[in-house]
């Protein structure tokens, strides 16, 4: 758990440095998700199972578009607010749930 939190923090700092260096949020999101997708394709072999129906393809496409929009908004927030504020905002619902009676 500690190692994953440490790697998450380092990834935030690296992402902030790349974004503040002049890379656009759309290119950053595209590059990040492409690398993650390639890694997942190599490790999970999605082509080896039962084929998806057309309805599941449509659901996967909609979810992918929503994930991309969410990631672009997150990267924009990282660029504008910085890594420390982004981490605090990611866990703000945990703080709100803990303080609620």
């Amino acid at each position: 758990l500690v190692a994953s939190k440490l790697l998450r923090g380092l990834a935030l700092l690296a992402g902030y440095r790349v974004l503040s260096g002049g890379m656009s949020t759309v290119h950053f999101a595209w590059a990040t998700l492409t690398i993650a997708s390639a890694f997942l394709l190599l490790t999970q072999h999605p082509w080896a199972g039962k084929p998806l129906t057309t309805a599941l393809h449509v659901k996967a496409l909609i979810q992918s578009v929503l994930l991309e929009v969410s990631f672009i908004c997150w990267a924009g927030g990282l660029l504008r607010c910085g890594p420390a504020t982004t981490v605090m905002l990611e866990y703000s619902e945990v703080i709100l749930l803990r303080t609620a009676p």
Side-chain angles (χ1 to χ4, degrees), residues 35-48:
I35 292 168
S37 298
F39 178 74
L40 289 174
L41 278 173
L42 292 174
T43 58
Q44 293 187 356
H45 303 290
W47 54 84

Side-chain angles (χ1 to χ4, degrees), residues 20-38:
S20 64
M23 187 177 206
S24 74
T25 54
V26 174
H27 289 129
F28 176 73
W30 181 82
T32 305
L33 292 176
T34 301
I35 292 168
S37 298

Side-chain angles (χ1 to χ4, degrees), residues 10-94:
L10 291 174
L12 277 170
L13 289 173
Y16 179 71
R17 291 185 73 195
V18 167
L19 286 169
S20 64
M23 187 177 206
S24 74
T25 54
V26 174
H27 289 129
F28 176 73
W30 181 82
T32 305
L33 292 176
T34 301
I35 292 168
S37 298
F39 178 74
L40 289 174
L41 278 173
L42 292 174
T43 58
Q44 293 187 356
H45 303 290
W47 54 84
K50 189 171 86 173
L52 297 177
T53 63
T54 304
L56 288 177
H57 277 291
V58 171
K59 285 182 181 182
L61 179 68
I62 291 170
Q63 186 176 5
S64 300
V65 169
L66 292 175
L67 176 69
E68 182 69 24
V69 169
S70 169
F71 192 76
I72 289 173
C73 291
W74 178 86
L78 175 63
L79 179 61
R80 285 173 186 77
C81 299
T85 307
T86 303
V87 168
M88 287 188 284
L89 289 175
E90 284 180 358
Y91 298 109
S92 63
E93 68 273 359
V94 174

